[in-house]
Amino acid sequence: MAKVLDAVKLQKVFETEKLLNEIRDTDVLLERILTEARTIANADAGSIYVIEDKQPSSVPAVAYAEEEEGFKNKLLRIKYAQNDTHQKTAKPGSKSPYVYFTVPITKSSIAGYCACTSQVLNISDAYNISSDKPYKFNSSTDISTGYKTVSMLTVPLITSSGQTLGVIQIINAKDENEKVIAFSDESVEFIKQFASSVTQTLEHTYLTSNMIKRMQRMAEFRDPKETGIHVERVSDFSLEIYDQWASNHNVPKEEQMKYRDILKIAAKCHDLGKVGISDLILKKPGPGRFNDEERAVMQGHTCVGAQLFTEPESDIDEMSRDVALHHHEWWDGSEKGYPGKIDFVNYEIGTPIEKCPPMKGEEIPLSARIVAIADVFDALSHSRVYKEAWSIDDAFMEIQNLSGKQFDPSLVLAFLEVKDRIILINSAYERMEKK
């Protein structure tokens, strides 16, 4: 009977791996990997870390001497954390609190040891680790949240070429009676198999991510103060808005997962069309900086961006085109919105866009309506060559004031419902920019 159950569970792992192969965005995949790993091992909580480049100021100098060879210029950054115990007391549809912190890759931490040595660590009691081990459990998170970590399973994500991309750490395995137990040898084998397979998928998403980053960098060369990290924030904000909106509208889980995966990528392409705008216009400083003709030329960046995807080969291309073209439309069909129902394919780069019938309401693609809120909020709350940054509260208030005018009211509601997460994400990016 046990062997049949093993086979059923292994089949479930294979089915999960197949689903993950369909995800194209790295961040969405990482979040899903953590969710599925916890499901496989029936774990109550967990985190997933990625290995990233670091700046010299990002960790204390004393840490450098302790770091392993090959990781001198790297750090572990937590990307996602999940906790079912905490989630049960949260408002329906809400997520776990957004977290951001980094640690040096040394053998003194559990995740660091796993990354350094490529060893799987199966710890039955985090508070009773043998003193002869080089690593120890950091209880600070437990203390701050009131959670009690007991069992831990930490597994490296290693590519076929031997490169370590990150670490999965799942916490507090549970039996059928919800009692916390140690992770079984069977669970360890399943998670090892799972980690090995999904790492290949992760490599593929990195290829897509790198391609988008190259396109972003091209735009950043033209407009370094306004592009850069702006598109990353807009992408993250867009995902938060969509997730809450989807929850509010009871969107089926698999439909939501597919849409959010594409949106995360497409949102990053909203301003790519700025590469086609003259520096004389793009970088013109001061309030009221454009005359009518210059403004119409600037508005042409929507058509230029859409032209990059005029022959879409995938659903990512289609949504990226929609976002680039329509993220400046107004919900109420105001003439302030642009470019409207335009023949963008035949738009001539560098010329003023023509006046076209406006788009309004649900004529505007959902993806563009989402990115419109994220883009304006980020533009308001950060400085530009022509303006100072607004306060976060004032930026939220402005979005609320424009509900039903510039923005879809149902999406504004979702945006306001995730205000705390938006603020935390914004703060995390500020900390990254300072490093």
Side-chain angles (χ1 to χ4, degrees), residues 147-434:
Y147 189 72
K148 178 64 183 294
T149 299
V150 182
S151 54
M152 300 180 72
L153 177 58
T154 309
V155 181
L157 295 169
I158 305 173
T159 68
S160 56
S161 63
Q163 179 187 4
T164 303
L165 299 180
V167 170
I168 304 175
Q169 189 169 80
I170 52 178
I171 297 168
N172 287 356
K174 289 189 172 182
D175 63 15
E176 61 275 9
N177 298 314
E178 294 294 298
K179 179 183 177 182
V180 175
I181 58 175
F183 288 94
S184 67
D185 291 341
E186 179 187 67
S187 289
V188 173
E189 290 306 312
F190 278 130
I191 296 299
K192 285 170 63 177
Q193 159 69 30
F194 177 70
S196 176
S197 297
V198 299
T199 301
Q200 298 176 39
T201 306
L202 194 56
E203 284 186 277
H204 292 312
T205 66
Y206 273 123
L207 294 177
T208 301
S209 177
N210 288 338
M211 178 191 69
I212 297 297
K213 285 180 179 178
R214 290 187 186 100
M215 296 175 72
Q216 286 176 234
R217 197 172 296 122
M218 177 178 64
E220 189 174 351
F221 288 153
R222 298 294 320 287
D223 195 10
K225 291 185 178 180
E226 293 193 21
T227 309
I229 206 164
H230 161 71
V231 296
E232 297 293 339
R233 288 191 303 259
V234 168
S235 178
D236 283 358
F237 296 159
S238 296
L239 204 62
E240 297 297 332
I241 296 168
Y242 173 71
D243 283 346
Q244 186 62 48
W245 179 91
S247 176
N248 293 348
H249 289 77
N250 299 311
V251 176
K253 181 180 177 181
E254 287 308 313
E255 180 182 335
Q256 180 180 351
M257 294 304 296
K258 182 177 180 180
Y259 192 92
R260 72 197 299 270
D261 175 38
I262 303 169
L263 177 64
K264 189 70 163 59
I265 296 173
K268 297 176 183 179
C269 300
H270 73 278
D271 271 344
L272 288 180
K274 287 185 176 180
V275 298
I277 305 301
S278 163
D279 281 354
L280 295 176
I281 295 176
L282 189 64
K283 299 179 181 180
K284 187 176 181 180
R289 55 187 181 141
F290 298 140
N291 60 37
D292 289 346
E293 181 176 351
E294 290 170 336
R295 183 173 296 103
V297 171
M298 182 65 184
Q299 291 173 349
H301 82 273
T302 56
C303 296
V304 178
Q307 286 177 354
L308 295 173
F309 306 98
T310 49
E311 296 181 2
E313 298 177 348
S314 67
D315 45 11
I316 292 177
D317 287 351
E318 291 176 359
M319 190 183 290
S320 296
R321 177 200 60 205
D322 288 346
V323 166
L325 185 61
H326 295 302
H327 69 284
H328 286 293
E329 309 286 1
W330 277 51
W331 171 259
D332 64 1
S334 165
E335 64 178 14
K336 294 178 182 178
Y338 63 89
K341 300 173 183 178
I342 194 170
D343 177 15
F344 72 89
V345 175
N346 292 311
Y347 168 74
E348 184 178 343
I349 296 176
T351 63
I353 61 170
E354 61 185 74
K355 286 288 185 181
C356 296
M359 297 186 75
K360 67 180 295 186
E362 293 186 0
E363 288 181 326
I364 307 166
L366 174 62
S367 55
R369 295 178 349 236
I370 293 170
V371 172
I373 295 173
D375 183 35
V376 171
F377 172 78
D378 192 72
L380 290 174
S381 56
H382 293 83
S383 61
R384 295 290 186 267
V385 294
Y386 53 88
K387 61 172 279 293
E388 296 296 322
W390 290 27
S391 73
I392 292 293
D393 286 341
D394 285 346
F396 272 103
M397 184 61 70
E398 181 69 0
I399 299 297
Q400 186 173 359
N401 290 340
L402 290 170
S403 178
K405 299 173 186 176
Q406 185 170 357
F407 305 123
D408 179 343
S410 68
L411 290 171
V412 172
L413 175 62
F415 174 71
L416 296 175
E417 288 177 314
V418 295
K419 179 177 180 179
D420 290 347
R421 287 184 65 83
I422 295 291
I423 291 172
L424 287 170
I425 291 169
N426 191 65
S427 296
Y429 274 104
E430 287 180 353
R431 288 167 61 188
M432 280 188 271
E433 287 183 284
K434 290 177 181 177

Side-chain angles (χ1 to χ4, degrees), residues 64-80:
Y64 286 91
E66 301 171 356
E67 291 168 353
E68 294 300 302
E69 196 63 39
F71 294 102
K72 294 288 186 181
N73 298 310
K74 307 286 183 180
L75 51 76
L76 275 172
R77 179 160 80 92
I78 192 167
K79 287 291 289 187
Y80 293 100

